[in-house]
Amino acid sequence: MPENFNSNYSRYYDLLYKNKDYKSEAEYIAKLIRSVHPQTKNILELGAGTGNHAAILCNDGFTVTGLERSAEMVAKAKEKKIEGFTPVVGDIQDYSIDQKFDAVISLFHVISYLTSNTALIDCFNTTNSHLNKGGVFIFDVWYTPAVYVQGSETRIKKMEDDDIEITRLAQPEAHYNLNVIDVNYEIIIQDKKTRLAEQYPEKHPMRHFSIPEINLLALLTGFEVIKTEEFLTAANPGENTWGVCFVLQKK
Ligand SMILES: C[S@@+](CC[C@H](N)C(=O)[O-])C[C@H]1O[C@@H](n2cnc3c(N)ncnc32)[C@H](O)[C@@H]1O
């Protein structure tokens, strides 16, 4: 969970990402799942947030269980009353769900939130044990070559709805020996009527990965890597590919 995490993150999450193309992303994932494991019916989503991908996947005929560490995000997801979607509070590093799944997915760089080798190995092992025979684990992560080639620059994002304006400043701090970038956010929320504003910081440590690193993790945790491609475009990853999607199959 991000440091300085508070309920504002979940309160404003959907507004911050209202222009994110969840529909295309969920359709891409559904297509990928059907191409590598056509019999897939039930999906476990790690770091499901407020259920935006799950809503589209459930509408497409899958059932989805969404594991999410933030109780506030889970509450938001429950408010949406998505048929076929069960959001639950839990940590993706170490979880126990009394069910096995055909596919486990983790979207929008959630695996990059696991910054230590121990956390990653725990997550991959636990995920393996929750998959049916031949089941698949699909996730996207920050890709090391792009992080180094493009660098990570300060960014500003502004969003608004009828009531509030959000301004989010993101300042990255690289830890080169850890493959981790701390994304330091400063978030300002202003009420449009009263013009009163609140401001708070948030720190998201994000790990980036090379392909051999994920291949090694897969080897250690009982998976075979069956696809490695740019998220959404399916292109070969290159120095400008920020998000790489990996498809692992349980051995
Ligand atoms: C960038 S958001 C992505 C949410 C959702 N997948 C989406 O695409 O909208 C990252 C999410 O991962 C969750 N998360 C991070 N680390 C986690 C962990 N160890 N266990 C469970 N959830 C975690 C955060 O609480 C947050 O909701």
Side-chain angles (χ1 to χ4, degrees):
M1 186 163 319
E3 286 169 38
N4 310 322
F5 188 93
N6 61 34
S7 57
N8 281 322
Y9 182 69
S10 52
R11 213 165 130 208
Y12 304 122
Y13 186 84
D14 283 346
L15 176 55
L16 270 172
Y17 292 110
K18 81 171 179 196
N19 295 331
K20 186 171 168 61
D21 193 353
Y22 280 102
K23 188 164 186 291
S24 300
E25 293 183 8
E27 284 169 359
Y28 159 76
I29 290 298
K31 197 170 160 202
L32 204 49
I33 291 173
R34 291 193 171 109
S35 73
V36 294
H37 198 44
Q39 60 269 54
T40 298
K41 291 195 171 51
N42 67 348
I43 298 174
L44 171 63
E45 184 178 4
L46 305 181
T50 59
N52 293 333
H53 290 111
I56 297 153
L57 292 167
C58 288
N59 199 32
D60 195 7
F62 298 104
T63 58
V64 180
T65 298
L67 193 66
E68 165 58 54
R69 189 158 59 177
S70 156
E72 287 88 0
M73 297 289 259
V74 168
K76 284 267 156 215
K78 282 186 176 162
E79 277 170 21
K80 295 180 184 172
K81 297 194 189 315
I82 300 160
E83 202 177 324
F85 179 47
T86 312
V88 290
V89 178
D91 195 311
I92 67 168
Q93 180 179 343
D94 186 17
Y95 57 91
S96 175
I97 298 173
D98 194 17
Q99 194 186 346
K100 290 210 174 195
F101 298 88
D102 303 315
V104 177
I105 61 172
S106 191
L107 306 175
F108 201 10
H109 317 138
V110 172
I111 295 297
S112 284
Y113 281 79
L114 300 176
T115 54
S116 75
N117 288 343
T118 312
L120 286 158
I121 291 172
D122 287 351
C123 171
F124 278 47
N125 274 328
T126 307
T127 296
N128 192 300
S129 70
H130 282 78
L131 278 168
N132 288 320
K133 193 164 179 277
V136 288
F137 180 25
I138 303 178
F139 56 90
D140 62 317
V141 288
W142 282 15
Y143 186 48
T144 299
V147 170
Y148 286 137
V149 169
Q150 293 180 20
S152 36
E153 54 199 29
T154 298
R155 282 171 293 128
I156 293 188
K157 182 168 188 168
K158 284 179 188 280
M159 297 300 282
E160 63 181 288
D161 62 14
D162 290 344
D163 303 318
I164 56 163
E165 280 167 12
I166 299 185
T167 307
R168 188 181 73 175
L169 185 72
Q171 281 179 308
E173 184 188 349
H175 300 280
Y176 293 108
N177 296 333
L178 301 174
N179 284 8
V180 169
I181 309 275
D182 286 344
V183 185
N184 296 298
Y185 290 118
E186 213 39 59
I187 301 175
I188 301 159
I189 294 152
Q190 185 160 45
D191 186 294
K192 282 169 127 174
K193 283 194 201 90
T194 65
R195 302 317 288 171
L196 286 173
E198 55 175 319
Q199 180 168 352
Y200 61 94
E202 236 178 56
K203 180 164 153 181
H204 293 217
M206 303 291 289
R207 178 153 170 180
H208 48 84
F209 297 88
S210 65
I211 290 173
E213 229 177 328
I214 297 292
N215 290 348
L216 183 60
L217 261 170
L219 198 65
L220 288 172
T221 54
F223 285 107
E224 184 185 350
V225 180
I226 57 172
K227 254 181 204 272
T228 303
E229 62 186 36
E230 183 173 39
F231 187 73
L232 216 49
T233 69
N236 242 346
E239 60 191 34
N240 290 314
T241 309
W242 196 271
V244 172
C245 180
F246 290 87
V247 181
L248 277 49
Q249 188 153 37
K250 179 174 171 138
K251 279 205 242 175

